[in-house]
Amino acid sequence: MMELTGLVQKAVNDSSWWERRGIDGAILAAAFLSLPAGFLLLSCSHTLLFSLGILVMGTAHAVITIKGTHLASHGSLSESQAWGRFWAVFFIELCGSFSARAGVHAHIKVHHAHTNIFGLGDSSTWKLPFLPRYVYMFVAPLAVPVITPVVALGLLKDLSMGIALRTLCMITLGLYSQYWLLLHLSGFQSPVSALLCMLLCRAAFSLPYIHVNIFQHIGLPMFSASRRPSRLHQMTHGVLNLSRNPLLDWTFGHSLINCHVEHHLFPFLSDHMCLKVKPIISRYLREKRLPYQEDGYLSRMCLFLREYQELMVLAPPITELVGMQ
């Protein structure tokens, strides 16, 4: 691991700020800048323009709440710890409607520290074994925009009074801001229609989000906490990269799609830096005859539909919240 770390650190040191932070920051900025156009398109009575508004708003929301929250949880948006804490609250609580404290703990302290370890980071948060496979894969994920703030509210009892109050205020402000803008900028005539539009925009990428959440770890080797392998072996055996997908690569970020192995080995790297060091890491692992696991989105989909009973129903239940909402 030290030898590989040296190779990756050299690539990072030789990279410009634009490569380390700027490219991903620009993608997030573009998502925010597209929001006014999305709200205006949603005010159009023409079906095609309104549908385009849903697409623009849904894509921007996915970039901000998936790519943004993920990078913020790892402190990858800034070299300053103070700014890192600010961005975590901004993206996870205000934009993502979840608790920054609980989300960072679950993702960093549990999922990354104990990837594929039974009883710890052993599975996905999204396991509903009582659901039929097609309902689970293609219908239930649409409820994620509703489930996320509800779960966040349930976690407030585990936080200090000050942090719980801040989290509640940020989540409320984020949800109400979009609702208010739909009423006053997009011109929705009723609260119900505005709420339905919010749900539709926020659920636009829920299906691939849940699919990615389960495809990259479930079904791969699991390990015992008492007989844990080295970090290099743990991550190379328990993590999988999905094939390049232009839409998801840019919307969710490379570290969640085609560079997930790189991300688990070096979680402090930004999405673009994960992509840059990908050839270094893949070549090193193959030279050392370690697994470098890759599979296509459709291939994993077929696997989970075919072996849903074994992978999602009979598998051990999760013991703690381990994934980012």
Side-chain angles (χ1 to χ4, degrees):
M1 191 67 195
M2 291 182 64
E3 183 180 1
L4 179 58
T5 299
L7 295 173
V8 170
Q9 192 60 55
K10 183 180 185 304
V12 173
N13 294 339
D14 292 341
S15 301
S16 65
W17 174 87
W18 177 250
E19 291 178 301
R20 295 196 309 271
R21 316 277 184 189
I23 292 176
D24 292 302
I27 294 171
L28 290 171
F32 281 106
L33 291 173
S34 70
L35 290 176
F39 281 112
L40 291 175
L41 286 168
L42 289 174
S43 67
C44 298
S45 57
H46 194 285
T47 303
L48 183 60
L49 292 177
F50 182 82
S51 300
L52 181 59
I54 294 290
L55 179 61
V56 171
M57 187 70 69
T59 303
H61 181 265
V63 172
I64 293 166
T65 61
I66 299 176
K67 180 185 178 72
T69 58
H70 189 234
L71 290 174
S73 71
H74 286 280
S76 300
L77 293 173
S78 173
E79 296 179 3
S80 163
Q81 291 187 357
W83 275 107
R85 289 190 293 270
F86 170 82
W87 290 126
V89 171
F90 177 80
F91 279 101
I92 300 173
E93 295 185 352
L94 184 67
C95 302
S97 304
F98 199 68
S99 164
R101 178 64 64 87
V104 170
H105 170 78
H107 190 67
I108 307 300
K109 303 296 185 181
V110 180
H111 176 60
H112 271 272
H114 308 290
T115 302
N116 284 34
I117 301 293
F118 281 114
L120 293 168
D122 55 4
S123 192
S124 165
T125 55
W126 188 258
K127 286 189 72 174
L128 302 171
F130 55 87
L131 292 178
R133 68 191 66 199
Y134 288 100
V135 173
Y136 171 87
M137 296 292 286
F138 302 111
V139 179
L142 299 176
V144 167
V146 177
I147 293 173
T148 299
V150 171
V151 172
L153 293 177
L155 294 172
L156 293 182
K157 65 181 185 299
D158 300 323
L159 306 175
S160 66
M161 181 65 72
I163 294 177
L165 183 60
R166 181 204 68 196
T167 300
L168 181 61
C169 289
M170 290 295 102
I171 292 175
T172 303
L173 178 61
L175 293 171
Y176 184 76
S177 296
Q178 187 179 15
Y179 169 75
W180 188 91
L181 288 169
L182 286 172
L183 290 177
H184 295 86
L185 186 58
S186 299
F188 281 79
Q189 298 300 310
S190 71
V192 173
S193 62
L195 290 173
L196 287 175
C197 184
M198 281 180 62
L199 178 62
L200 186 58
C201 292
R202 288 170 175 256
F205 282 80
S206 290
L207 264 66
Y209 170 67
I210 293 302
H211 294 165
V212 168
N213 187 271
I214 64 176
F215 287 173
Q216 293 173 319
H217 297 287
I218 295 179
L220 299 178
M222 305 292 293
F223 307 103
S224 167
S226 61
R227 301 179 62 185
R228 181 191 300 258
S230 68
R231 177 175 175 80
L232 189 59
H233 283 78
Q234 178 186 348
M235 298 309 174
T236 54
H237 285 81
V239 185
L240 175 141
N241 284 344
L242 293 174
S243 302
R244 291 297 301 268
N245 182 310
L247 178 60
L248 296 184
D249 283 349
W250 290 95
T251 306
F252 290 8
H254 298 295
S255 61
L256 287 177
I257 306 298
N258 66 302
C259 298
H260 204 54
V261 173
E262 289 76 10
H263 171 65
H264 267 262
L265 287 170
F266 300 97
F268 60 89
L269 295 179
S270 66
D271 286 328
H272 180 75
M273 283 306 303
C274 281
L275 184 64
K276 184 173 181 178
V277 301
K278 181 183 176 77
I280 298 172
I281 293 176
S282 61
R283 182 171 59 250
Y284 181 87
L285 295 180
R286 287 172 176 135
E287 287 175 354
K288 300 299 181 182
R289 298 186 178 181
L290 288 166
Y292 185 76
Q293 304 187 87
E294 297 179 288
D295 201 0
Y297 189 100
L298 291 179
S299 174
R300 296 297 285 178
M301 174 76 73
C302 293
L303 172 68
F304 272 76
L305 290 175
R306 186 174 63 251
E307 301 183 15
Y308 178 77
Q309 187 77 8
E310 178 183 349
L311 295 176
M312 303 302 295
V313 177
L314 300 178
I318 61 172
T319 55
E320 186 172 349
L321 179 74
V322 295
M324 289 297 296
Q325 299 295 318

